[in-house]
Amino acid sequence: MPSLDDLRKRIASVKSTQKITKAMKMVAAAKLRKAQEMAEKGRPFSEKMDVIIQNLSAAINDPANAPKLLVGTGEDQSHLCIVMTADRGLCGGFNTNIVKLAKNHFNKVLKESKKLKIITVGTKGLDQLKREFGKYIIKKINFKDKKSLSFHEAEIIGNEIVKLFKNKEFDKCVIFYNKFKNVMTQVPQAQQVVPAKRDDKKVENQISSYEFEPEEDEILEDLLPKNISTQIYKGFLENSASEQGSRMTAMDNATRNAGDLVEKLTINYNRSRQAAITKELIEIISGAESL
């Protein structure tokens, strides 16, 4: 049974941890507001970019001469996967949920005897993947030195994807991230960025009224690489909001659990102290009676 001194130290330690988790929750709540606002503002831009590409692709008369980033290589043998996670932990299941979705995709690709190549963005995803899928990881990227990620960082990854595609390193590219829904819910996403996925629902009905200058394929040659960077930046914004929301929830749970533990330890301490006092009284009374 722990001594009174041990219990006192344990209570002080848990209270100290509780202060830290409470502070982290407040910091995450403050960061969440800005991150959520950025994510919500970024969605219409990325969605509109996608609609423009869909409209342009539908207007192309000769698909054989269309940009390869739009129509693909015509094969489906090599897959590039971009796993976007955080560089910091203590955010609940945020990183684990992304990695879990990515692993399911990896296993499906390997089961079909296709080539798998992985680029990790963020150290936490790398830590969870390197043991099982380390031999498939071709590049490790992290932005630990950056306080916040900008479009410049998204362009770095986007340019790397375009370079690998031009070198015929892969046929399809999928990015993995968490979409922010609310503080309690973040939904893991697997979004194909190469080739651009066709979605007839997004194609506007008045497409015949558009006249493009220069030609559609020329516009797409310039627009498609930017779209890849845009979708990655959207993933960054969604991840940022999801990370702070998940951390806020995790630290709130940790603070409550610490409070419950302090209560249990305090009750245990009071009982042990009372037992020690009672024992001393019995010894004093027994000694007095023996005299």
Side-chain angles (χ1 to χ4, degrees):
M1 187 176 178
S3 65
L4 290 176
D5 188 49
D6 290 337
L7 286 170
R8 274 197 298 268
K9 288 179 180 177
R10 182 80 189 279
I11 290 170
S13 175
V14 174
K15 282 184 176 179
S16 177
T17 303
Q18 187 181 32
K19 288 179 181 178
I20 294 170
T21 56
K22 188 175 181 180
M24 289 184 70
K25 174 195 167 186
M26 294 174 69
V27 170
K31 289 182 177 180
L32 173 63
R33 190 176 302 170
K34 183 178 179 181
Q36 182 178 353
E37 184 180 340
M38 290 285 288
E40 289 174 348
K41 285 182 177 178
R43 285 173 190 167
F45 183 81
S46 61
E47 288 171 2
K48 190 62 179 176
M49 174 78 87
D50 196 28
V51 169
I52 291 171
I53 289 175
Q54 296 291 338
N55 288 335
L56 284 165
S57 62
I60 290 177
N61 296 322
D62 185 8
N65 294 326
K68 294 297 183 183
L69 283 173
L70 178 67
V71 297
T73 60
E75 298 181 1
D76 185 19
Q77 291 303 313
S78 183
H79 287 241
L80 175 67
C81 298
I82 316 294
V83 184
M84 300 161 59
T85 57
D87 288 310
R88 297 176 180 83
L90 297 176
C91 49
F94 168 76
N95 295 305
T96 305
N97 291 338
I98 297 173
V99 171
K100 185 178 179 182
L101 179 65
K103 281 184 176 180
N104 290 337
H105 183 79
F106 299 162
N107 290 326
K108 182 181 177 182
V109 170
L110 294 174
K111 190 177 179 181
E112 294 173 355
S113 301
K114 296 177 181 177
K115 292 182 181 178
L116 174 65
K117 296 178 182 180
I118 303 169
I119 295 178
T120 60
V121 182
T123 55
K124 293 301 175 181
L126 173 63
D127 292 342
Q128 294 187 43
L129 289 171
K130 64 183 179 183
R131 185 171 183 178
E132 188 177 354
F133 297 96
K135 63 181 179 180
Y136 302 107
I137 297 174
I138 61 171
K139 196 172 183 66
K140 306 162 188 176
I141 301 172
N142 70 74
F143 300 105
K144 277 186 174 181
D145 55 334
K146 302 285 184 180
K147 288 185 178 179
S148 61
L149 298 179
S150 65
F151 188 75
H152 174 69
E153 284 73 41
E155 273 191 318
I156 293 173
I157 301 170
N159 292 338
E160 181 68 22
I161 293 172
V162 173
K163 185 179 81 173
L164 290 171
F165 185 76
K166 286 181 178 178
N167 293 335
K168 299 181 179 180
E169 295 285 334
F170 67 90
D171 300 315
K172 285 188 176 181
C173 178
V174 180
I175 61 173
F176 297 88
Y177 61 93
N178 259 334
K179 184 176 181 180
F180 179 80
K181 189 174 181 181
N182 54 51
V183 176
M184 298 292 294
T185 309
Q186 299 85 37
V187 185
Q189 301 288 311
Q191 181 181 346
Q192 181 177 305
V193 292
V194 180
K197 206 161 187 180
R198 173 85 180 186
D199 187 352
D200 293 330
K201 292 180 181 178
K202 291 184 179 180
V203 178
E204 297 180 0
N205 295 327
Q206 298 87 0
I207 193 165
S208 58
S209 64
Y210 289 106
E211 292 184 5
F212 299 103
E213 181 66 34
E215 294 300 319
E216 293 85 351
D217 54 348
E218 293 181 52
I219 299 174
L220 285 168
E221 285 285 359
D222 184 60
L223 200 60
L224 285 166
K226 289 179 180 173
N227 179 59
I228 293 172
S229 299
T230 299
Q231 299 308 322
I232 290 169
Y233 185 52
K234 180 190 74 173
F236 281 162
L237 296 178
E238 295 286 353
N239 263 3
S240 179
S242 297
E243 180 187 351
Q244 299 305 331
S246 186
R247 180 173 288 117
M248 180 180 168
T249 302
M251 291 302 102
D252 182 50
N253 291 336
T255 302
R256 281 200 304 253
N257 291 339
D260 294 340
L261 184 57
V262 167
E263 287 182 12
K264 290 178 182 177
L265 289 171
T266 302
I267 292 171
N268 196 4
Y269 172 80
N270 290 336
R271 285 177 178 171
S272 299
R273 182 170 173 272
Q274 187 64 46
I277 293 170
T278 303
K279 183 180 178 182
E280 288 177 5
L281 287 173
I282 291 172
E283 289 175 353
I284 293 170
I285 293 168
S286 300
E289 286 180 352
S290 65
L291 295 173

